[in-house]
Amino acid sequence: MIAMMSALGMTAALGGCGSSGGSKDVTLRLVAADYGDSDANSSQKYWDKLVKEYEAANPAVKVEVSVYSWTDVDREVKEMVAAGKAPDMAQIGAYADYAAKGQLYTADELLSIPVQANFALQLTDAGEQQRAQYGLPFASSTRLLFYNKTLFAEAGLAPPKTWDQLAADAEALKADGVKFPYALPLGPEEAQAETMQWMLSGGGGYTDNVGTYAIDSEANVQTFTWLKNELVGKGLTGPTAPAKLNRADAFAAFTRGEVGMLSGHPTLMKTAAAKGVKYGMVPMPGADGLSKSTLGVADWMMAFKQNGHAEQVGDFLDFVYSDKNVLAFSREYDLLPVTTSASDAMAADSDDQDLAPFLGELPTAELYPVDKTSWAGVSADIKAQIGKAVGANGSPAGVLGSLQAKAGTADDGS
């Protein structure tokens, strides 16, 4: 799928770099999320460099970029829009609410044909409502099972391919005194990701094959019953209750050598290596064999109609999605390119081979149901409640059933 669109002339254009994007001086405002973990690699530096190059070639257009943490960026944009001061562009986590209210330009109204056609197909599909694309994918990642090679070697273990093997490995790691044999972060930071990864590995997911919420499906209930009984109930997920363990804390514990296994995305590679942790990566185990699909995550760029700068915004975004800029961002933050041409370039570059396993997972990756306007609320409910499903007094069927009931109501718009 990564190479699927290459026959259409898929080298992302520089979007008329060198033209003014119009005869009138215009200032565009972009709100973006910060993918860095310190001032040294803040996304503000990426955008400042990109904007400087764009403005030098397009003197009639100025671009002001405000970067916020992921904790704040979605709320900041929501408040701007509510106050009638929408930015020209926002690079955030969800687009569907704004699209449903008619506040966004479509990709057709903004991008050149080669740039629009260059997005990976499953990301284009995820950015559509009513067959019109409003969400432009900006960054993506998939998940693999990370394991500590040193701890596995000391216990004489091989990476698991099934749930039963994962549980057996966790038992052996626990016997060796490993603090978190399998780290299960179902805390409020990113519980929706761990939840979906496990649902997929059990043959389920958040929705069925026609896009209707199916949170309490038989497959999902069986998955969380297994987690509760075979991992959490046997003390194989560490001293912190999954409901209170956040993804960042689980990753930090992995880099300290305290975790045997966890589901991780590409950014964990750099931080683990920097701490001297020897790690391996394999596809997530499934109930009876390797999981048939993995979690894919995409973040989104969108353009608001309010200020009426479609021509200038489109020209700037054509430049943003050039191979040079897509690859620079992806390499800086260990993320996957969202365009087919940049993905092809990364796959062919020997310097990018550490990301190859994640690129290989992308064609079968499944994304959150981000086209649903209800998803933001449903995701928040999952973050708040799913940890209870595997707690000592929790009922997987009860918790999943409650989440399904609220999701179904939200999806109906009632």
Side-chain angles (χ1 to χ4, degrees):
M1 189 171 292
I2 291 171
M4 186 177 294
M5 306 297 288
S6 60
L8 297 178
M10 297 293 104
T11 299
L14 292 180
C17 185
S19 68
S20 67
S23 58
K24 230 171 131 183
D25 286 358
V26 167
T27 297
L28 302 178
R29 292 175 176 84
L30 164 64
V31 176
D34 194 354
Y35 290 80
D37 55 14
S38 67
D39 289 342
N41 69 343
S42 167
S43 293
Q44 189 73 56
K45 292 188 173 182
Y46 168 82
W47 285 112
D48 287 349
K49 181 179 179 182
L50 183 151
V51 165
K52 183 178 180 181
E53 183 177 348
Y54 181 78
E55 290 179 345
N58 297 270
V61 179
K62 302 299 179 187
V63 184
E64 296 178 355
V65 183
S66 300
V67 173
Y68 295 90
S69 72
W70 273 109
T71 304
D72 300 324
V73 69
D74 289 279
R75 185 189 72 251
E76 290 284 345
V77 172
K78 184 177 181 179
E79 290 175 355
M80 291 175 190
V81 174
K85 299 179 179 178
D88 295 283
M89 295 163 283
Q91 185 271 298
I92 52 178
Y95 69 88
D97 282 354
Y98 302 118
K101 294 174 183 176
Q103 295 171 323
L104 302 179
Y105 287 113
T106 65
D108 288 342
E109 296 172 303
L110 298 169
L111 302 177
S112 64
I113 292 174
V115 171
Q116 185 179 355
N118 198 22
F119 293 125
L121 186 57
Q122 75 271 44
L123 299 180
T124 295
D125 291 345
E128 291 183 347
Q129 281 193 347
Q130 304 297 319
R131 298 188 178 181
Q133 184 182 2
Y134 296 93
L136 314 180
F138 184 75
S140 67
S141 67
T142 56
R143 302 296 167 100
L144 292 170
L145 182 73
F146 281 69
Y147 65 97
N148 185 308
K149 283 187 172 182
T150 302
L151 297 177
F152 265 62
E154 290 173 350
L157 302 175
K161 295 182 179 180
T162 67
W163 286 358
D164 287 345
Q165 290 172 5
L166 184 148
D169 285 352
E171 287 274 14
L173 292 166
K174 180 183 178 182
D176 276 2
V178 175
K179 189 173 182 179
F180 295 90
Y182 180 88
L184 184 67
L186 295 178
E189 179 192 0
E190 203 187 29
Q192 83 284 3
E194 186 76 11
T195 296
M196 185 169 172
Q197 181 62 73
W198 277 98
M199 286 179 171
L200 291 173
S201 69
Y206 285 132
T207 59
D208 60 21
N209 56 11
V210 295
T212 302
Y213 282 117
I215 297 172
D216 64 344
S217 68
E218 181 179 353
N220 291 340
V221 171
Q222 289 177 352
T223 293
F224 273 81
T225 300
W226 186 89
L227 283 172
K228 174 180 166 63
N229 294 338
E230 302 302 324
L231 286 187
V232 181
K234 293 183 178 180
L236 302 179
T237 54
T240 305
K244 296 183 178 179
L245 182 64
N246 282 323
R247 187 262 305 163
D249 296 328
F251 279 20
F254 188 84
T255 67
R256 295 193 299 268
E258 298 173 353
V259 175
M261 299 171 280
L262 53 63
S263 172
H265 54 64
T267 57
L268 183 56
M269 296 187 299
K270 186 179 292 186
T271 53
K275 296 286 188 177
V277 174
K278 295 180 179 178
Y279 63 87
M281 302 179 300
V282 293
M284 283 295 296
D288 301 310
L290 293 177
S291 179
K292 293 181 175 61
S293 60
T294 189
L295 170 65
V297 177
D299 302 321
W300 303 94
M301 178 74 76
M302 62 212 69
F304 288 89
K305 292 180 178 179
Q306 180 179 318
N307 300 317
H309 295 148
E311 181 183 353
Q312 294 86 356
V313 168
D315 189 74
F316 176 68
L317 289 178
D318 274 0
F319 180 67
V320 167
Y321 285 106
S322 68
D323 280 359
K324 172 186 172 182
N325 290 322
V326 171
L327 286 168
F329 183 86
S330 300
R331 287 164 174 159
E332 176 65 30
Y333 299 107
D334 285 327
L335 292 165
L336 303 183
V338 296
T339 63
T340 56
S341 57
S343 294
D344 288 345
M346 181 173 279
D349 193 327
S350 60
D351 291 337
D352 293 319
Q353 290 311 296
D354 55 344
L355 285 169
F358 295 96
L359 281 170
E361 291 288 296
L362 190 57
T364 59
E366 293 194 26
L367 279 73
Y368 302 129
V370 291
D371 59 326
K372 290 180 173 288
T373 58
S374 59
W375 171 242
V378 171
S379 176
D381 288 340
I382 292 167
K383 291 179 183 181
Q385 300 297 326
I386 194 64
K388 298 176 183 177
V390 297
N393 299 313
S395 163
V399 171
L400 293 174
S402 176
L403 289 169
Q404 172 65 26
K406 292 184 71 174
T409 299
D411 208 31
D412 290 338
S414 53

